Amino acid sequence: MKKVFGGWVILSAIIMLVLPWLTVSFVRSDAAMAICFLLFFGVNPIYSVIVGVFAGRNAKQLWSLPVISAVLFLIGTWMFFDMGEPAFVMYAGIYLAVGIVVMLISMYITTKMQG
């Protein structure tokens, strides 16, 4: 289980830390803003749903994956964009809420299918 958990944490770090860093470091035009919108409104919410589905299959051990994902998003955006920006806290809260709601739904479906 630790290997699976560690893999998801590494994947979360790549998506929530490395992708914003790559955008800020290597894209120097209006395309950077478009990529940020794509990350904030596309990639990150979809990833939060995927993390929630996976965490819901074994919620007792993987409940922290949505939290870790949201915290890594907040760390990444504060490091690479603007430290302390309250809008990023709102985004992180939304990603956390999406991950937890999907985790609970996935947990409910998993228990109904087993029992």
Side-chain angles (χ1 to χ4, degrees):
M1 184 51 71
K2 287 184 180 183
K3 193 179 282 190
V4 171
F5 183 79
W8 278 97
V9 171
I10 290 170
L11 185 60
S12 293
I14 289 170
I15 290 175
M16 299 298 184
L17 294 174
V18 174
L19 291 180
W21 173 75
L22 287 173
T23 301
V24 170
S25 298
F26 297 113
V27 181
R28 298 279 184 218
S29 65
D30 290 336
M33 185 60 91
I35 293 171
C36 288
F37 280 132
L38 182 66
L39 286 174
F40 294 162
F41 296 117
V43 174
N44 294 344
I46 291 170
Y47 182 70
S48 295
V49 169
I50 292 169
V51 165
V53 168
F54 182 76
R57 293 181 181 172
N58 189 359
K60 288 184 180 181
Q61 294 182 346
L62 301 175
W63 63 269
S64 61
L65 284 179
V67 175
I68 291 170
S69 177
V71 168
L72 285 173
F73 166 79
L74 193 58
I75 291 169
T77 53
W78 279 359
M79 282 184 355
F80 304 122
F81 295 108
D82 188 16
M83 182 60 101
E85 176 66 36
F88 295 137
V89 176
M90 181 186 66
Y91 282 115
I94 291 170
Y95 299 152
L96 178 62
V98 167
I100 289 175
V101 167
V102 172
M103 179 183 70
L104 293 173
I105 292 169
S106 176
M107 186 174 65
Y108 176 76
I109 292 171
T110 301
T111 56
K112 284 294 184 186
M113 292 179 75
Q114 291 175 353

